[in-house]
Amino acid sequence: MTHPENLRYTKDHEWIRVEGPDRSVGVVGITDFAQGELGDIVYVELPKPGAKLEAGKPFGSVESVKAVSDLCAPVSGEVVEVNEALSRAPETVNASPHDVAWMIKVKLSDPAQVESLMTAEEYETYISEQGN
């Protein structure tokens, strides 16, 4: 299980990577830990571009052979791009949760929200404290 240092993490097991020339776009997905806990992912429901997100609120869901789980926005903003490939190949989330299987790109409404999220080290401590 890996958690890249260049990402920030939520307690709901989503990650965000800020990119773009003005660092105003966040790329969002679920963590390696989350995909491992879910098992084989069979369906991913994502919002349409233009959807407004509120930090901490659901924006979609993932369905695995074990359960259906909400996806919660790590930050507030507007969806500017959706990874359409996941609708055809949801199992990609299991194979590459931090790279190929990014889920949405969000135009950040408050870039400072990213700094309030956990670092990789803090996230690993958090999941170990949860008994994992």
Side-chain angles (χ1 to χ4, degrees):
M1 187 172 10
T2 62
H3 299 102
E5 297 285 327
N6 64 330
L7 307 179
R8 290 294 187 128
Y9 301 88
T10 72
K11 290 181 177 180
D12 296 315
H13 309 291
E14 283 84 17
W15 57 261
I16 185 167
R17 178 182 63 240
V18 177
E19 58 185 33
D22 57 357
R23 302 189 53 76
S24 64
V25 174
V27 182
V28 175
I30 66 169
T31 66
D32 192 21
F33 172 78
Q35 69 79 23
E37 290 292 300
L38 286 166
D40 294 337
I41 294 176
V42 296
Y43 182 74
V44 178
E45 179 182 9
L46 299 174
K48 303 258 186 252
K52 305 287 186 199
L53 303 182
E54 184 177 340
K57 302 289 185 186
F59 68 86
S61 64
V62 290
E63 182 177 343
S64 71
V65 293
K66 293 182 181 176
V68 176
S69 297
D70 283 338
L71 297 165
C72 294
V75 295
S76 298
E78 179 180 337
V79 177
V80 293
E81 189 175 345
V82 174
N83 188 348
E84 299 289 349
L86 295 181
S87 65
R88 296 181 301 279
E91 68 277 7
T92 307
V93 176
N94 294 113
S96 182
H98 297 130
D99 295 307
V100 178
W102 62 273
M103 295 183 170
I104 56 172
K105 293 185 179 181
V106 179
K107 174 83 173 163
L108 306 173
S109 61
D110 180 6
Q113 287 179 326
V114 175
E115 298 305 315
S116 68
L117 300 174
M118 291 182 280
T119 63
E121 182 179 345
E122 291 167 336
Y123 179 69
E124 289 174 3
T125 299
Y126 172 74
I127 57 177
S128 69
E129 289 174 353
Q130 303 301 306
N132 298 298

Short mmCIF file of all heavy atoms in Angstrom, two decimals, residues 9 16 18 43 50 60 99 103-104 115 117 119 123 128:
data_model
loop_
_atom_site.label_atom_id
_atom_site.label_comp_id
_atom_site.label_asym_id
_atom_site.label_seq_id
_atom_site.Cartn_x
_atom_site.Cartn_y
_atom_site.Cartn_z
N TYR A 9 -4.70 14.07 1.66
CA TYR A 9 -5.67 13.02 1.92
C TYR A 9 -6.77 13.46 2.88
O TYR A 9 -6.55 14.30 3.74
CB TYR A 9 -4.94 11.81 2.52
CG TYR A 9 -3.87 11.28 1.61
CD1 TYR A 9 -2.57 11.80 1.67
CD2 TYR A 9 -4.14 10.30 0.68
CE1 TYR A 9 -1.58 11.33 0.82
CE2 TYR A 9 -3.16 9.82 -0.17
CZ TYR A 9 -1.89 10.34 -0.10
OH TYR A 9 -0.91 9.89 -0.95
N ILE A 16 -6.15 14.29 -3.23
CA ILE A 16 -6.18 15.39 -4.19
C ILE A 16 -4.75 15.81 -4.50
O ILE A 16 -3.88 15.80 -3.62
CB ILE A 16 -7.00 16.60 -3.66
CG1 ILE A 16 -7.12 17.67 -4.74
CG2 ILE A 16 -6.41 17.14 -2.37
CD1 ILE A 16 -8.15 18.74 -4.43
N VAL A 18 -2.84 18.99 -6.52
CA VAL A 18 -3.06 20.30 -7.13
C VAL A 18 -2.11 20.45 -8.31
O VAL A 18 -0.93 20.11 -8.22
CB VAL A 18 -2.84 21.42 -6.10
CG1 VAL A 18 -3.01 22.79 -6.75
CG2 VAL A 18 -3.81 21.26 -4.94
N TYR A 43 -18.21 -0.59 -10.54
CA TYR A 43 -18.95 0.55 -11.10
C TYR A 43 -18.50 1.83 -10.39
O TYR A 43 -18.28 1.83 -9.19
CB TYR A 43 -20.46 0.35 -10.89
CG TYR A 43 -21.31 1.44 -11.47
CD1 TYR A 43 -21.51 1.54 -12.85
CD2 TYR A 43 -21.91 2.38 -10.66
CE1 TYR A 43 -22.28 2.55 -13.39
CE2 TYR A 43 -22.70 3.40 -11.19
CZ TYR A 43 -22.88 3.47 -12.56
OH TYR A 43 -23.64 4.48 -13.09
N GLY A 50 -19.12 20.79 -14.66
CA GLY A 50 -19.99 21.91 -14.30
C GLY A 50 -20.66 21.74 -12.95
O GLY A 50 -21.17 22.72 -12.39
N GLY A 60 -20.33 11.44 -5.73
CA GLY A 60 -20.49 10.26 -6.56
C GLY A 60 -20.39 9.03 -5.69
O GLY A 60 -20.48 9.12 -4.45
N ASP A 99 -3.01 7.20 -10.04
CA ASP A 99 -2.54 7.74 -11.32
C ASP A 99 -3.63 7.63 -12.39
O ASP A 99 -4.40 8.56 -12.58
CB ASP A 99 -1.28 6.99 -11.78
CG ASP A 99 -0.12 7.23 -10.83
OD1 ASP A 99 0.18 8.41 -10.57
OD2 ASP A 99 0.46 6.25 -10.36
N MET A 103 -10.37 10.52 -10.74
CA MET A 103 -11.81 10.53 -11.00
C MET A 103 -12.34 11.83 -11.57
O MET A 103 -13.07 11.83 -12.55
CB MET A 103 -12.56 10.15 -9.73
CG MET A 103 -12.24 8.72 -9.32
SD MET A 103 -13.14 8.21 -7.88
CE MET A 103 -12.74 6.46 -7.92
N ILE A 104 -11.99 12.93 -10.91
CA ILE A 104 -12.46 14.23 -11.40
C ILE A 104 -11.36 15.27 -11.25
O ILE A 104 -10.44 15.10 -10.45
CB ILE A 104 -13.72 14.73 -10.63
CG1 ILE A 104 -13.46 14.79 -9.13
CG2 ILE A 104 -14.92 13.85 -10.95
CD1 ILE A 104 -14.58 15.43 -8.32
N GLU A 115 -4.52 22.77 1.99
CA GLU A 115 -3.51 22.76 3.05
C GLU A 115 -4.05 22.19 4.35
O GLU A 115 -3.29 21.76 5.22
CB GLU A 115 -2.97 24.18 3.27
CG GLU A 115 -2.28 24.76 2.06
CD GLU A 115 -1.15 23.86 1.53
OE1 GLU A 115 -0.35 23.36 2.34
OE2 GLU A 115 -1.09 23.64 0.30
N LEU A 117 -5.81 19.50 4.55
CA LEU A 117 -5.92 18.04 4.42
C LEU A 117 -4.63 17.37 4.90
O LEU A 117 -3.60 18.02 5.05
CB LEU A 117 -6.21 17.67 2.97
CG LEU A 117 -7.51 18.25 2.41
CD1 LEU A 117 -7.64 17.97 0.93
CD2 LEU A 117 -8.72 17.73 3.18
N THR A 119 -1.21 15.13 5.14
CA THR A 119 -0.07 14.73 4.32
C THR A 119 -0.06 13.20 4.25
O THR A 119 -0.80 12.53 4.98
CB THR A 119 1.26 15.20 4.94
OG1 THR A 119 1.41 14.54 6.21
CG2 THR A 119 1.28 16.72 5.13
N TYR A 123 -1.74 10.74 6.94
CA TYR A 123 -2.78 9.79 6.50
C TYR A 123 -2.41 8.37 6.92
O TYR A 123 -3.25 7.62 7.42
CB TYR A 123 -2.97 9.86 4.99
CG TYR A 123 -4.01 8.90 4.47
CD1 TYR A 123 -5.36 9.08 4.77
CD2 TYR A 123 -3.65 7.80 3.70
CE1 TYR A 123 -6.32 8.18 4.31
CE2 TYR A 123 -4.59 6.92 3.23
CZ TYR A 123 -5.93 7.11 3.54
OH TYR A 123 -6.87 6.21 3.09
N SER A 128 -3.55 3.74 10.43
CA SER A 128 -3.04 2.76 11.41
C SER A 128 -3.75 2.93 12.75
O SER A 128 -4.00 1.94 13.45
CB SER A 128 -1.52 2.87 11.57
OG SER A 128 -1.18 4.07 12.20
#
